[in-house]
Amino acid sequence: MKKHIAVLAGDGIGPEITNGAIAVLNKVGEKFGHEFEFEQLLMGVCAIEKTGEPLPQYTIDRCLASDSVLLGAVGGAVGDPRIEKLPGHLRPEAGLLKIRSALGLYSNLRPAKLFPALAGACPLRKDIAEKGIDLVVVRELIGGIYFGKRGRGTEEGGEYAYDTEKYNVSEVTRIAKIAFELARKRRHRVTSIDKANVLESSRLWREVVHTVAKDYPDVELIDMLVDNTAMQLVKNPSQFDVVLTSNIFGDILSDEAAQITGSIGMLASSSLGATKRGLYEPIHGSAPDIAGKDLANPIATILSAAMMLRDSFDLTEEAKAVEEAVNKVLDEGYRTADIMSEGMKQVKGSEMTKLIVERI
Ligand code: IPM
Ligand code: MN
């Protein structure tokens, strides 16, 4: 099979980690007889520097013409003079939101799994971690408050600013269906997150999720308030299977879910819409503090490439080969700095990539 992959390496550690994923995909191509072609495109601070905007139209057009998109990370350090004074719509993050929306990627899957080899890196108490963590956050990605009406003005009390959380029935229905379908392939449980005791948008969310649930009598549905979820994730994470959330709640809870598995450097994500063209990215950011030092853990991006193989190209066996290679390297005791623990062998990011490539 021949596939054209758009690569948005982005900023900070973005180029290092996407290079890791490209090396892995090239090995998969060689081994299984596929041809993957990569096209590097600008997005983020690097795009702002060269074109004045975080997501040039050319990048959008080329992504739309590709079979799938691999993304590193975007954003600069706090106080970075290149972005500090930029208005919101020209910030690097705006580019990321815009590409998700331009490609219609409403469904963001963020699996959080505790790798047995990394149990030592889990910050939770041993008796809690021992029950296991294996959940997927299904995050609505192109609606809600990140895309709602916002603005500033002045009133009696002085200057004000506002953002709006708004969802309609079809937006909630389509993401809820994704969650229930996924639960059928897993442990048949959906926990739907809202703040229905306060927010009107959450009350609609809950109603719609219950309507969709009627078509899935074999899947258990639990409503959970977002504040309680934040607590349950550290108290008893083994209760979660599929966690269905709005855009903002999923953003927040997926960072928490990542951290309880040991390192945010391990977690992959996929974003899909109505077609097979998806966007695959690690859930961590651009980590400008460690950029260029070959310290970054490439595994989250490599596992995102595995998700691309499975979800965009239906290459199940190839995806498994990548995941197994990652497991093997971890079992053999190799660790990047972020997941290092006593008695393990510490390696640089590029060495980690090489070890994984060798095991495919
Ligand atoms: C993420 C990030 C982005 C988001 C930012 C950079 C716009 O935090 O992918 O979780 O909020 O979605
Ligand atoms: Mn986030």
Side-chain angles (χ1 to χ4, degrees):
M1 148 182 313
K2 187 172 174 178
K3 295 288 177 193
H4 188 87
I5 300 169
V7 181
L8 311 176
D11 311 310
I13 59 170
E16 306 164 34
I17 56 178
T18 46
N19 280 342
I22 289 171
V24 163
L25 287 169
N26 279 331
K27 178 67 188 277
V28 167
E30 206 178 287
K31 171 125 197 238
F32 292 85
H34 306 299
E35 199 181 320
F36 300 119
E37 231 173 47
F38 301 95
E39 180 178 359
Q40 298 276 351
L41 296 161
L42 291 174
M43 178 169 94
V45 183
C46 57
I48 295 171
E49 281 190 304
K50 291 209 175 90
T51 70
E53 39 181 354
L55 181 67
Q57 185 59 43
Y58 181 74
T59 296
I60 301 178
D61 293 342
R62 294 305 303 154
C63 285
L64 283 167
S66 73
D67 294 308
S68 224
V69 183
L70 178 71
L71 183 119
V74 293
V78 179
D80 184 329
R82 295 171 299 174
I83 48 176
E84 206 182 12
K85 296 210 167 64
L86 290 173
H89 72 284
L90 288 179
R91 288 186 57 83
E93 293 82 1
L96 180 53
L97 295 179
K98 199 167 157 196
I99 190 72
R100 290 170 177 167
S101 163
L103 298 177
L105 309 173
Y106 64 84
S107 164
N108 180 217
L109 305 193
R110 300 187 159 188
K113 202 171 164 165
L114 186 61
F115 284 76
L118 293 187
C122 173
L124 300 180
R125 224 171 50 210
K126 204 161 170 263
D127 59 306
I128 298 175
E130 262 165 10
K131 288 197 239 148
I133 303 171
D134 183 4
L135 61 90
V136 183
V137 176
V138 175
R139 172 188 178 194
E140 197 292 322
L141 201 59
I142 53 174
I145 197 165
Y146 289 9
F147 288 87
K149 200 168 165 234
R150 66 181 100 245
R152 283 178 178 243
T154 349
E155 58 188 13
E156 227 175 283
E159 191 183 5
Y160 69 85
Y162 67 95
D163 301 271
T164 329
E165 173 83 344
K166 167 181 168 275
Y167 272 108
N168 65 34
V169 173
S170 73
E171 287 171 319
V172 182
T173 303
R174 65 186 183 182
I175 193 67
K177 280 187 182 158
I178 300 275
F180 282 98
E181 290 292 336
L182 183 63
R184 275 196 169 152
K185 294 190 206 138
R186 295 175 46 96
R187 304 198 306 279
H188 291 77
R189 174 182 289 190
V190 170
T191 308
S192 173
I193 313 307
D194 62 43
K195 186 70 186 173
N197 53 348
V198 178
L199 301 177
E200 203 54 46
S201 52
S202 276
R203 287 192 271 271
L204 178 83
W205 177 279
R206 197 179 276 208
E207 283 162 32
V208 175
V209 172
H210 279 260
T211 306
V212 173
K214 291 197 184 113
D215 292 333
Y216 300 87
D218 53 317
V219 177
E220 181 189 7
L221 169 63
I222 296 159
D223 300 300
M224 195 177 279
L225 296 172
V226 63
D227 45 355
N228 184 30
T229 311
M231 183 172 79
Q232 294 298 330
L233 272 171
V234 290
K235 201 176 157 199
N236 178 19
S238 70
Q239 71 184 287
F240 296 105
D241 178 17
V242 174
V243 180
L244 167 62
T245 74
S246 64
N247 202 342
I248 186 169
F249 293 164
D251 186 20
I252 297 165
L253 294 174
S254 62
D255 269 30
E256 189 185 358
Q259 189 53 50
I260 58 171
T261 67
S263 169
I264 198 162
M266 296 292 298
L267 293 207
S269 84
S270 76
S271 304
L272 282 153
T275 72
K276 282 269 179 190
R277 187 195 313 105
L279 184 148
Y280 298 83
E281 56 174 316
I283 87 150
H284 60 71
S286 60
D289 52 325
I290 58 163
K293 298 185 182 149
D294 201 11
L295 284 174
N297 184 351
I299 293 181
T301 318
I302 289 171
L303 291 174
S304 301
M307 288 182 95
M308 177 189 289
L309 291 169
R310 185 181 284 114
D311 298 341
S312 278
F313 306 154
D314 290 319
L315 297 175
T316 314
E317 207 189 317
E318 289 82 342
K320 256 199 215 137
V322 174
E323 287 158 358
E324 273 161 20
V326 169
N327 280 330
K328 198 143 184 263
V329 169
L330 294 173
D331 282 344
E332 289 170 30
Y334 295 104
R335 302 283 187 273
T336 42
D338 57 315
I339 50 174
M340 184 58 192
S341 60
E342 224 190 288
M344 298 295 136
K345 297 170 262 196
Q346 189 165 335
V347 295
K348 297 268 188 195
S350 59
E351 291 171 74
M352 179 56 95
T353 296
K354 197 165 157 261
L355 290 162
I356 295 168
V357 167
E358 281 165 7
R359 280 154 189 76
I360 292 173

